[in-house]
Amino acid sequence: MKRNHFKIYASAFLLVLGLSSCTDLEIEETDSFISSGFQGLQDPASSLNALYGSIYGQLGDQANTYALREVTTDAALIPTRGADWGDNGRWRKLHQHEWGLEETDILTPFNQWNSNQLLASQILDSRSSASADVAAGASFLRAMAMWTILDLYGQVPFRDTSLPSTEVPTVLTGQAAVDFILADLDNAISGLPTVAAGAGDDLNRGSKAAARFLKARFLLNKHIYVNQLNGGGGTPDSSDMAEVISLVDAIAADGFALQAGYFELFRNTADNETIWWAQTGIGNRIFNGLHYNSTGIGGGGWNGFSTLAEYYDLFEGDANSNRVELDETALDGQEERRGGVPPSGLTFTGRDGTEDEGGFENGSNVGNGFLINQQYALDGTPLQDRQGAPLQFSRGFVDGTGAPNLINNNEQTGIRVMKYNPRFGGFTEHSIQFRYADAHLMKAEAMMRSGGDPTAMVNELRAIRGAAPLGTVTESDLLDERGRELYAEGVRRTDMIRFGQYLRQWEFKSAAESTNTARLLFPIPLPQLLANPNLVQNPGY
């Protein structure tokens, strides 16, 4: 292993200090720069709790990791509406694949997830004397952190905590990174407890099912990770696909299964699909797309996040209308997962998790799924935007001249996405991360990539979701089905890369960027390159 001692490290650090007067470059305490003198943690169990808390907060964010996973795809975009959501082009550049080297949504996740894996390594250090269950939890979270870094950046700085802190971290890439992460996942599977489906509060920590789920997801993309710094490519290994199937079967053996009632899955109630949930607020997922006047809960929406019409069109139903009765019966031929807009709120009946607002169930005028066209108040009055025009969410994004544009939009452009509903609490700390429906589709995909036919498995899910069966399922169909089932759950980028669709063109993304293979990875932040000479900037940056 190449070792770069303190002289090189100090020179890089001083160089960063010299640049700080003219740029935003900063070095934080991550794997590339930590305090000296680590001798073990006094209370590794408390450190594991703190690590869970940090990761929960990061997973609940609407920016940073979530933005990289969703806003850089066809599933989400944020136009600039007047002075709102401009942010120096922050959101537009992600969606259009025009990001540079110093975007905050690229810098921050690299620091966060490297800090996460460093703390996990400190918990796992023998001098910390962690108990077996604490060590298994740390292995699960370190695997998650290192997988996230590998998936987004292709290079994982790793600090051996037994070495002096003046040592520059080694960098794991390709097969070495894959082997390290898989070893952590196997340790987690071995040491974590078995937690049965429907266990509610016990599912917000690592379990055998959660570790198996993460390993299955990792193995589906393993061939990409092995080759991602050499142009990507490769094909899945048949033994990996067989293991994905075996892992999903083991998850099912713990009682996890597909469950009817799609939007019920995103409430803070027990179900058989949830494998792991994060104890973090769901407010970002609710309010970032709602209009300011959509609801009084939380002071109203933030009127930003939307989706492309082409993504909405993946679902069954009238392309121009998405209405439901008060009991959520579809009125426009749409499948259950597309949801719909109700004509008013529900009468308050005291349902668990709901609150009374003038005799109505507060927030129940807000629909589920995809919100388009006229929106209504609790009493059925058509809502208006802040200029007094009817609040009608539209399919397109246009400026004041009516031309397609991501700037100078009004308050109504874009179909809004509502997977969690404010009627059950706008700030409930229950964010679903792993679901059995995802595992079910991973198994179907592994079968397909092994030469099998995934049609029956896909149709099993579609029947439960009230969608028409497919005659046959191609690779494209399977990606579309994952898009319909898992929208706004932070998996779209990884899926699109695996299916070879991340570089395709979509609305507002230029043809030039659609052939730019550099965009398959994000750039390594410049401060980390300066602090750790073992890191090399990703190709194309």
Side-chain angles (χ1 to χ4, degrees), residues 48 62 79 151 160 202 236 317 354 377 417 432 456 472 493 518 521 538:
L48 182 64
Q62 67 183 356
D151 186 66
D160 185 341
D202 291 336
T354 64
V417 178
I432 307 300
T472 186
R493 173 187 171 274
L521 289 170
N538 284 326

Side-chain angles (χ1 to χ4, degrees), residues 68-190:
L68 297 187
R69 289 172 169 171
E70 292 286 339
V71 181
T72 66
T73 75
D74 59 348
L77 75 168
I78 303 95
T80 299
R81 310 179 193 280
D84 294 343
W85 296 94
D87 298 319
N88 296 314
R90 170 184 186 176
W91 308 102
R92 299 193 304 272
K93 285 187 285 186
L94 290 179
H95 181 76
Q96 295 176 296
H97 284 203
E98 295 177 355
W99 56 78
L101 297 178
E102 295 187 48
E103 315 300 342
T104 184
D105 296 297
I106 293 172
L107 299 175
T108 303
F110 191 90
N111 292 335
Q112 288 176 333
W113 289 103
N114 276 296
S115 294
N116 294 339
Q117 63 117 329
L118 174 58
L119 180 52
S121 292
Q122 291 173 331
I123 295 169
L124 289 164
D125 189 297
S126 61
R127 293 168 293 179
S128 296
S129 301
S131 63
D133 60 326
V134 168
S139 292
F140 171 63
L141 295 182
R142 184 168 71 176
M144 176 176 296
M146 296 180 75
W147 161 68
T148 301
I149 301 162
L150 184 66
D151 186 66
L152 297 176
Y153 303 95
Q155 304 177 56
V156 186
F158 176 73
R159 177 177 294 282
D160 185 341
T161 56
S162 68
L163 296 176
S165 56
T166 53
E167 294 281 350
V168 175
T170 189
V171 174
L172 302 177
T173 63
Q175 190 66 53
V178 165
D179 291 344
F180 195 104
I181 294 168
L182 287 175
D184 262 353
L185 287 169
D186 287 339
N187 288 336
I189 292 169
S190 175

Side-chain angles (χ1 to χ4, degrees), residues 235-246:
T235 56
D237 187 275
S238 59
S239 64
D240 290 335
M241 298 303 97
E243 187 168 5
V244 170
I245 293 169
S246 177

Side-chain angles (χ1 to χ4, degrees), residues 229-290:
L229 292 182
N230 299 311
T235 56
D237 187 275
S238 59
S239 64
D240 290 335
M241 298 303 97
E243 187 168 5
V244 170
I245 293 169
S246 177
L247 288 164
V248 174
D249 288 344
I251 293 171
D254 287 340
F256 297 94
L258 299 176
Q259 180 171 312
Y262 185 68
F263 293 105
E264 297 295 308
L265 299 172
F266 301 95
R267 294 179 56 187
N268 186 14
T269 53
D271 61 73
N272 290 329
E273 277 210 22
T274 299
I275 296 171
W276 183 56
W277 58 273
Q279 190 171 340
T280 186
I282 56 173
N284 283 316
R285 304 293 178 266
I286 291 175
F287 297 110
N288 64 20
L290 287 181

Side-chain angles (χ1 to χ4, degrees), residues 210-227:
R212 286 171 174 143
F213 180 101
L214 183 56
K215 186 176 183 181
R217 176 175 285 177
F218 184 79
L219 288 173
L220 280 177
N221 276 56
K222 174 185 163 186
H223 61 290
I224 294 171
Y225 300 142
V226 169
N227 299 296

